Amino acid sequence: MRFETPLVPARLIRRYKRFLADCTLEDGREVTAHCANPGSMMGLAEPGQKIWLEPNDDPKKKLKYGWRLVGHENGHFTGVDTSLPNKALRAALLEREIPALAAYETIRPEVKYGENSRIDFLLTQPGLPDAYVEVKSVTLSRQPGLAEFPDSVTARGTKHLGELAAMAAQGHRAIMLYLVQRTDCDRFALAADIDPAYAAAFEAAQGVERLICGTTITPEGVWVDTDKIWHVDGRP
């Protein structure tokens, strides 16, 4: 998934009200960018952090920049826009790049299911059980090489686990897909100390598969890394 507009580098001044970020561009101008991330962004929103913004000239948008990436000093990147994983994953599904899901030809996003919920992707194929795929963006890393989810308490995520388990009980495939939006991680774990209820809900979600996908991230775009895909059938 390529960004629609070339990104520009900046430095973060502060993130506030969850969805706003004041930033300094390379020419010294200060701008406010939209931050499409409702999580805590632990370790990613420190003042002075190098970031990458996507400009826009859409008259319908109040803010003319969107915060897309964090650039780390070691040359790695983290994608902070939580809308990007679904776009990157959709492209990978259409190209059948994820072995555990490659047999499905029909891919439908945002299908209603459960109790007032929408599944990120419903995959169907004659002769196969329907596959309900819920996608979570993973950006937290507190240990070198280890990505963790969640970075804050997520009652919504816990609800999704229960609804996926209900789909599995009906004979469907139910997949919780964690897309690691960090290029410096090759391992994954649930952050049980941050949200014990979520970790417990996952343990209780019988029949729910876990799929972890790494990413390739540059200022040009975000793609699923086909060399970093781990499929765990049901258990962590």
Side-chain angles (χ1 to χ4, degrees), residues 16-82:
Y16 57 103
K17 295 182 179 179
R18 289 203 298 174
F19 300 112
L20 298 175
D22 290 338
C23 320
T24 304
L25 301 179
E26 284 192 322
D27 62 7
R29 286 182 295 147
E30 292 187 6
V31 299
T32 300
H34 177 239
C35 176
N37 190 319
S40 72
M41 292 182 64
M42 187 185 302
L44 299 172
E46 301 301 322
Q49 177 79 57
K50 183 175 181 178
I51 63 176
W52 291 81
L53 307 178
E54 184 173 18
N56 76 81
D57 56 5
D58 187 342
K60 297 180 181 179
K61 292 184 178 181
K62 181 179 180 180
L63 299 177
K64 298 307 177 183
Y65 293 89
W67 182 4
R68 301 293 180 252
L69 307 178
V70 165
H72 300 287
E73 297 301 326
N74 57 8
H76 285 284
F77 292 95
T78 296
V80 299
D81 185 338
T82 57

Side-chain angles (χ1 to χ4, degrees), residues 1 18 81 86 91 97 101 106 112 118 124 148-149 155 168 172 178-179 187 191 193 203 208 229:
M1 186 230 65
R18 289 203 298 174
D81 185 338
N86 283 31
E97 294 176 340
L101 303 173
T106 302
K112 291 182 178 181
R118 291 179 180 269
T124 58
E148 297 178 275
F149 182 87
H172 305 297
Y178 298 97
L179 195 73
R187 294 173 292 125
D193 61 315
E203 289 288 349
V208 176
I229 297 176

Side-chain angles (χ1 to χ4, degrees), residues 219-230:
E220 284 70 49
V222 178
W223 297 270
V224 173
D225 188 339
T226 55
D227 292 326
K228 292 183 179 180
I229 297 176
W230 303 275

Side-chain angles (χ1 to χ4, degrees), residues 1 85-109 120-125 133 177 213 223-224 226 229:
M1 186 230 65
N86 283 31
K87 296 176 182 178
L89 182 61
R90 181 181 176 84
L93 290 172
L94 289 171
E95 293 297 324
R96 299 191 179 185
E97 294 176 340
I98 300 174
L101 303 173
Y104 292 90
E105 293 184 355
T106 302
I107 301 161
R108 297 167 56 201
D120 287 316
F121 295 99
L122 176 59
L123 313 184
T124 58
Q125 180 70 18
V133 183
L177 190 150
C213 296
W223 297 270
V224 173
T226 55
I229 297 176

Side-chain angles (χ1 to χ4, degrees), residues 113-193:
Y113 86 120
E115 297 181 8
N116 299 317
S117 292
R118 291 179 180 269
I119 195 69
D120 287 316
F121 295 99
L122 176 59
L123 313 184
T124 58
Q125 180 70 18
L128 295 176
D130 293 349
Y132 288 76
V133 183
E134 183 69 32
V135 184
K136 298 300 180 187
S137 173
V138 181
T139 61
L140 173 63
S141 181
R142 296 179 291 178
Q143 300 177 32
L146 178 65
E148 297 178 275
F149 182 87
D151 67 357
S152 59
V153 173
T154 172
R156 184 168 177 265
T158 300
K159 175 189 175 186
H160 288 158
L161 284 169
E163 290 177 330
L164 283 175
M167 293 299 101
Q170 295 175 26
H172 305 297
R173 286 185 69 188
I175 299 105
M176 182 64 74
L177 190 150
Y178 298 97
L179 195 73
V180 179
Q181 281 206 89
R182 297 189 68 113
T183 60
D184 57 356
C185 293
D186 56 12
R187 294 173 292 125
F188 173 83
L190 295 178
D193 61 315

